[in-house]
Amino acid sequence: MEYTKTYVTKDEHIDVQQIMDGLYYPFYMEDCRHAFIKDVLGFDFVEEAEKGVYMVLSQYSIKFLRSLKKGDEFTVTCAVFGDAGGQPRLHFKQSIMLNNKVMTSAVFTGTCVPATGGRPYLPEGLKAKLEGIPTLEV
């Protein structure tokens, strides 16, 4: 299951070299990932936080292959994978694409934790939506 969203680089994200500052690539990926989590997985961050369930990142890795420039219209992709080791975490493979070329690729790993503290877990409703997804070894 893959999800995509289209964006245009914001002028304020362009640095003195006339390319997008590396700090902003993960922000676009986060926006797409959060939309995917809500629209496809049905996990609403606000509602779940009010119920005491926090979805948090535990790690990520990112590769910068090409730079975006001012005014570029690009797409961000997001696909979810289970954990190959059976841990209660999700791996989101994401790419930023421009003209069918990968500009940046990343894997974001996350899980859920109780707001009151405790061990990582995946809520039952989320697990049901994820049944049968492929796994990813990180």
Side-chain angles (χ1 to χ4, degrees):
M1 79 181 75
E2 187 169 88
Y3 186 85
T4 62
K5 273 188 86 169
T6 302
Y7 301 88
V8 175
T9 54
K10 295 181 178 181
D11 290 353
E12 61 267 24
H13 295 169
I14 302 302
D15 67 17
V16 296
Q17 301 172 94
Q18 299 306 302
I19 59 176
M20 190 163 78
D21 188 298
L23 172 69
Y24 294 103
Y25 292 77
F27 285 102
Y28 287 102
M29 290 176 161
E30 177 185 56
D31 185 77
C32 179
R33 188 173 59 256
H34 283 203
F36 171 81
I37 290 167
K38 184 175 183 179
D39 296 347
V40 176
L41 301 181
F43 185 98
D44 184 295
F45 283 89
V46 174
E47 290 175 10
E48 294 298 329
E50 289 171 354
K51 292 190 278 187
V53 179
Y54 293 169
M55 185 179 282
V56 296
L57 287 178
S58 57
Q59 68 181 29
Y60 71 90
S61 65
I62 190 166
K63 293 179 186 175
F64 298 97
L65 305 169
R66 297 173 182 86
S67 297
L68 291 169
K69 297 179 176 79
K70 182 178 179 175
D72 280 346
E73 183 176 304
F74 59 94
T75 59
V76 180
T77 66
C78 184
V80 66
F81 294 82
D83 187 72
Q87 296 297 312
R89 56 186 177 189
L90 300 174
H91 305 287
F92 298 93
K93 282 182 76 171
Q94 294 192 255
S95 295
I96 293 179
M97 309 286 296
L98 177 68
N99 300 324
N100 295 316
K101 290 183 181 174
V102 177
M103 307 301 279
T104 307
S105 63
V107 175
F108 292 83
T109 300
T111 189
C112 292
V113 294
T116 56
R119 302 199 49 82
Y121 73 105
L122 296 177
E124 290 304 317
L126 190 55
K127 284 199 287 194
K129 295 254 184 175
L130 298 167
E131 196 166 314
I133 64 169
T135 60
L136 185 69
E137 185 124 5
V138 178

